[in-house]
Amino acid sequence: MKKYPLGEFEEVVLLMVGVLYDEAYGVAIKNKIEEQLGRKVSVGAMQSALRRMESKNYLSSRKGEANTERGGRPKRYFTITAHGKKALEYNRDIRLELWRNIPGTAFEF
């Protein structure tokens, strides 16, 4: 079993939380993924991933100020936890090690 279980979509979401930093809330994360990766993301998939990663302690959240545009509901802002940073670093290191182990001849077509 993986030391830090993290799917590809979860990894992208975590990275975007880092990119957005203080402005990382559900819709902003979704829009940034769509903009930068050209990948459509449903609100449900985004909310599910954020809840799942918060339960894994990869993310923490705080409520912002309530506003009338959202019917009085506050935005929920996310930040990467120390455990989430370790998960990202672990996955990055595994990928880099795999890339380093590919023999140069593997890409000769």
Side-chain angles (χ1 to χ4, degrees):
M1 180 170 216
K2 281 175 87 171
K3 187 173 182 176
Y4 294 97
L6 189 63
E8 186 261 344
F9 181 65
E10 288 178 331
E11 183 176 7
V12 168
V13 171
L14 268 176
L15 289 167
M16 286 303 173
V17 168
V19 168
L20 290 167
Y21 190 56
D22 279 341
E23 294 300 315
Y25 61 94
V27 173
I29 300 164
K30 172 191 173 311
N31 291 343
K32 192 72 166 173
I33 290 171
E34 290 178 348
E35 172 192 316
Q36 290 213 323
L37 302 180
R39 174 179 178 168
K40 290 297 277 178
V41 177
S42 73
V43 173
M46 175 59 57
Q47 293 302 322
S48 178
L50 290 169
R51 279 192 304 272
R52 191 169 52 250
M53 287 188 292
E54 197 166 19
S55 73
K56 290 180 181 180
N57 195 31
Y58 293 166
L59 291 174
S60 63
S61 66
R62 65 178 167 75
K63 289 184 178 179
E65 297 295 318
N67 66 40
T68 54
E69 285 178 24
R70 297 174 45 82
R73 293 180 327 221
K75 289 180 182 175
R76 195 163 158 210
Y77 293 91
F78 293 88
T79 55
I80 300 172
T81 64
H83 193 62
K85 181 179 182 242
K86 286 180 184 176
L88 283 172
E89 290 171 339
Y90 176 80
N91 279 275
R92 178 201 59 206
D93 293 347
I94 291 293
R95 291 186 203 292
L96 288 173
E97 186 63 28
L98 290 170
W99 274 100
R100 281 192 284 272
N101 288 323
I102 297 173
T105 56
F107 292 125
E108 292 178 5
F109 300 102

